[in-house]
Amino acid sequence: MDNIFGSFDDLIAVRPIEHLGCQDLSFGGQLSPSLKVVEDGGASGCGGKVWIAGELLCEYILEKTPRDKLLGAILPESSGVMCNILELGSGTGIVGLCVSLLAQQHHFPGETHVNITDIGMLVPLMQDNILANGVGDSTEATELLWGTTLTKQHHNIDLVLAADCVYLEDAFPLLEDTLLQLTSGSEHQPMILMAYRRRRKADRRFFQRIRKHFDVIEVTDFTRHSQYLKSRTHLFELVRVH
Ligand SMILES: C[S@@+](CC[C@H](N)C(=O)[O-])C[C@H]1O[C@@H](n2cnc3c(N)ncnc32)[C@H](O)[C@@H]1O
């Protein structure tokens, strides 16, 4: 509709129309039923849409899960009785939900518990996504602010997942603190998988910081590694050393 200034459309802040609604992600038919991801286009923060590093991590997990054991090629040492997974900065919850759906799809023996976490504002969106995928029995969405003291619920984690969480310089020390807390126990060290899209030079400072405590090992043994590299998107395993 036109007014004296022209069109009303010009006066209304434009919301991104990509990444609104619900995506069905089957990852080439590997997930059936497919993963449903409700996105809000960023209305509840940048996590309200799916990011490329999240897709990379899903693809990696799918590729490394044989039919008989959830995450079998990622956590070969685990007994398979219980798998406790924590995702940091989950946004829509895409990566954690992919694991939950995979566990459900293949009826993996043993229990899987997945905690998808982010800032409080994103918890309702993550809960919607848990419902959309029917994985409420194994999956919960909670607030976990990096840099805050972790609770008992975050002990005994087998696998920590983080996709596209290195992008905000102010948050680097907070994310580092959370990773240090998660790996502070001497007995049970979780595996940490971090998918990362390189955007600016400052990101290097995050990796410089964490190298004081972690070996940062680039993971390259997956099919679409070279395609992701073209988008400057990498996968790292972090191993606590100091
Ligand atoms: C670029 S998005 C990635 C979302 C999702 N992992 C993906 O790959 O689609 C980064 C996420 O980190 C979360 N985040 C940023 N700072 C945080 C903090 N201090 N504590 C917890 N989460 C934070 C954001 O809310 C957002 O969901």
Side-chain angles (χ1 to χ4, degrees):
M1 187 189 293
D2 284 340
N3 66 4
I4 52 168
F5 303 110
S7 144
F8 273 137
D9 294 343
D10 299 335
L11 302 176
I12 298 165
V14 182
R15 291 182 73 204
I17 47 168
E18 38 136 36
H19 299 296
L20 264 179
C22 185
Q23 286 201 52
D24 258 38
L25 300 171
S26 78
F27 296 97
Q30 291 181 86
L31 275 180
S32 174
S34 56
L35 171 61
K36 287 161 200 65
V37 185
V38 179
E39 298 175 294
D40 68 8
S44 46
C46 72
K49 62 174 207 163
V50 168
W51 293 81
I52 187 172
E55 292 177 331
L56 182 159
L57 208 36
C58 289
E59 281 186 27
Y60 181 74
I61 287 165
L62 287 163
E63 193 169 320
K64 298 296 171 187
T65 291
R67 293 214 149 255
D68 60 336
K69 192 169 164 226
L70 181 65
L71 306 167
I74 300 176
L75 299 172
E77 303 297 313
S78 84
S79 62
V81 174
M82 177 74 197
C83 201
N84 214 354
I85 296 162
L86 176 72
E87 187 186 359
L88 302 174
S90 310
T92 55
I94 174 177
V95 184
L97 290 169
C98 175
V99 179
S100 307
L101 214 52
L102 196 55
Q104 195 179 65
Q105 176 179 314
H106 291 315
H107 309 291
F108 282 113
E111 259 185 76
T112 306
H113 180 262
V114 181
N115 188 359
I116 52 178
T117 71
D118 209 294
I119 57 172
M121 233 165 58
L122 275 157
V123 171
L125 182 66
M126 294 192 288
Q127 280 166 342
D128 285 349
N129 279 321
I130 290 174
L131 277 178
N133 289 284
V135 290
D137 287 350
S138 63
T139 314
E140 63 174 337
T142 61
E143 179 182 66
L144 191 163
L145 291 175
W146 306 336
T148 57
T149 305
L150 298 183
T151 63
K152 259 195 185 161
Q153 137 188 58
H154 305 115
H155 292 170
N156 293 322
I157 303 288
D158 299 296
L159 178 64
V160 176
L161 300 167
D164 228 330
C165 290
V166 179
Y167 63 100
L168 200 63
E169 226 180 325
D170 287 350
F172 291 174
L174 307 177
L175 181 57
E176 180 189 7
D177 177 73
T178 295
L179 293 172
L180 286 172
Q181 286 188 60
L182 286 167
T183 50
S184 62
S186 51
E187 287 149 33
H188 190 79
Q189 284 288 319
M191 172 179 257
I192 302 175
L193 288 176
M194 177 175 269
Y196 154 73
R197 180 168 201 193
R198 185 166 53 79
R199 292 197 176 82
R200 43 188 90 82
K201 282 189 185 154
D203 295 352
R204 234 185 289 155
R205 284 187 213 130
F206 174 77
F207 291 99
Q208 279 164 357
R209 290 182 74 104
I210 61 164
R211 278 201 169 89
K212 291 184 190 139
H213 302 285
F214 296 92
D215 274 345
V216 179
I217 303 159
E218 178 139 24
V219 179
T220 59
D221 66 330
F222 57 99
T223 309
R224 298 210 319 129
H225 170 248
S226 55
Q227 277 100 315
Y228 277 107
L229 270 193
K230 286 181 195 150
S231 307
R232 303 184 310 284
T233 309
H234 303 255
L235 178 61
F236 297 116
E237 181 186 347
L238 309 188
V239 180
R240 178 81 185 257
V241 282
H242 299 294

